[in-house]
Amino acid sequence: MKRYNLGIEATLEIIGGKWKSLIICLLMSGVKRTSELQRNIHGISQKVLIQQLRELEKDGLVRRYVHQQMPPKVEYSLTEYGVTANKIVDVMCSWGKENIKIRQQRGEDIVLLEDESLEDKK
Amino acid sequence: MKRYNLGIEATLEIIGGKWKSLIICLLMSGVKRTSELQRNIHGISQKVLIQQLRELEKDGLVRRYVHQQMPPKVEYSLTEYGVTANKIVDVMCSWGKENIKIRQQRGEDIVLLEDESLEDKK
DNA sequence: TCCAGTACTTACTTTCAAGTAACTACCTTA
DNA sequence: TAAGGTAGTTACTTGAAAGTAAGTACTGGA
């Protein structure tokens, strides 16, 4: 029997960690191929990306669609349930933006590249 | 120069990790003493609790008030800025509750003890 | 006088998520 | 025929976060 004291514990298990909320954030802008995700998430390794995607799939947030073709083409998208999780990711994003602004005003040497990573580079 | 691709990265730095969102959640119900927090956050060690509180204080989310008396009495509360972060914690809590319900309906052997940890045990 | 409780600090250890790198297997293009 | 791109897997290593345990310093109560 698994016990949770607060709802937030379950949330952290599912979208906690370094990468999952970023993946959800990117998938909100539409279906993405594996390689697209990897290019757009700075610093993630292929192993970790795929591992995180599989976990999100297992938890019902992400759908994996394999095109039966060569060369391989695999597409990931959010499920309906995954979209509900985006509510969280959304407030985290906007709170984070505000936080960065505040720290910039304080004189910290930081930038938000913002959305560059979301756009497809031509 | 520190670079963020998405606002969410800054958020994760500040309230990410295993314990910080739980601490914020508890502090939303009012001022708390160190020992109260420790009793109410199941499994946290004193070292880690104090460490997390100091980091939250450094980031401006938590206020630490030391009563000049013996035996020592230290109280922690959320700052105004800390209260803004509670928006995030709030959606995480409610999403997590929903998640637990769904998994219970699926037959998973889990419970949400919910709010027991928030109340002062007499 | 000793134990319990307050709020810490310090030192050391463990764990596990993430990182690194190499490998498979297939196709297309040069 | 060799390189580059697709989507992975596997094995091993690293490092930061967290856990463990003990010590400090003070007071109040049995």
Side-chain angles (χ1 to χ4, degrees):
Chain A
M1 165 80 87
K2 188 149 204 177
R3 289 153 196 283
Y4 296 97
N5 288 307
L6 294 166
I8 204 167
E9 294 168 20
T11 306
L12 288 171
E13 277 185 5
I14 292 169
I15 61 158
K18 198 169 170 180
W19 302 111
K20 285 181 181 170
S21 47
L22 291 171
I23 293 172
I24 292 169
C25 201
L26 284 169
L27 288 181
M28 265 314 280
S29 61
V31 178
K32 292 271 179 299
R33 297 184 65 173
T34 320
S35 52
E36 271 181 286
L37 287 170
Q38 205 185 348
R39 275 193 298 269
N40 290 329
I41 303 175
H42 178 74
I44 198 169
S45 69
Q46 198 174 27
K47 188 201 77 171
V48 172
L49 172 62
I50 287 159
Q51 187 181 293
Q52 302 296 300
L53 284 166
R54 291 290 155 84
E55 286 176 22
L56 288 168
E57 193 192 359
K58 189 200 82 221
D59 289 326
L61 306 200
V62 158
R63 187 178 295 115
R64 179 168 177 263
Y65 180 66
V66 183
H67 294 260
Q68 288 304 331
Q69 62 174 61
M70 270 305 161
K73 181 173 178 179
V74 179
E75 286 181 326
Y76 293 94
S77 56
L78 289 183
T79 62
E80 270 177 58
Y81 190 51
V83 173
T84 70
N86 187 60
K87 267 186 250 170
I88 300 169
V89 172
D90 222 41
V91 281
M92 288 175 86
C93 267
S94 49
W95 192 86
K97 279 185 208 173
E98 258 315 298
N99 176 268
I100 290 169
K101 273 188 210 162
I102 291 167
R103 288 159 63 196
Q104 283 170 338
Q105 281 161 13
R106 267 199 235 137
E108 282 186 49
D109 193 20
I110 54 175
V111 250
L112 177 57
L113 305 173
E114 192 55 42
D115 299 330
E116 278 175 35
S117 57
L118 285 168
E119 274 146 44
D120 300 313
K121 284 147 197 161
K122 205 24 186 322
Chain B
M1 164 84 84
K2 189 149 203 175
R3 289 154 196 282
Y4 296 98
N5 287 308
L6 294 166
I8 204 168
E9 294 168 20
T11 305
L12 288 171
E13 276 186 5
I14 293 169
I15 61 158
K18 199 169 170 179
W19 302 112
K20 285 181 182 171
S21 48
L22 291 170
I23 293 171
I24 293 170
C25 201
L26 285 169
L27 288 181
M28 264 315 279
S29 62
V31 178
K32 293 270 179 300
R33 298 185 63 174
T34 320
S35 52
E36 270 182 284
L37 286 170
Q38 205 185 348
R39 274 193 298 270
N40 290 328
I41 303 175
H42 178 74
I44 199 169
S45 68
Q46 200 172 28
K47 188 201 76 171
V48 172
L49 172 62
I50 287 158
Q51 188 181 292
Q52 303 295 300
L53 284 166
R54 292 290 156 84
E55 286 176 22
L56 288 168
E57 194 192 358
K58 189 200 81 220
D59 289 325
L61 307 200
V62 158
R63 187 179 295 115
R64 180 168 178 263
Y65 180 67
V66 183
H67 295 260
Q68 288 303 332
Q69 62 175 60
M70 267 306 161
K73 181 173 177 179
V74 178
E75 285 180 326
Y76 293 94
S77 56
L78 289 183
T79 61
E80 270 177 58
Y81 190 52
V83 173
T84 70
N86 188 60
K87 266 186 249 169
I88 301 169
V89 172
D90 222 42
V91 281
M92 287 175 87
C93 267
S94 48
W95 193 86
K97 280 185 206 173
E98 259 315 298
N99 177 269
I100 290 169
K101 274 188 207 161
I102 291 167
R103 288 159 62 195
Q104 283 171 337
Q105 281 161 13
R106 267 198 235 138
E108 280 186 51
D109 194 21
I110 54 175
V111 250
L112 176 58
L113 306 172
E114 191 55 41
D115 300 331
E116 277 175 34
S117 56
L118 286 168
E119 273 144 44
D120 300 313
K121 284 147 197 160
K122 204 28 186 317

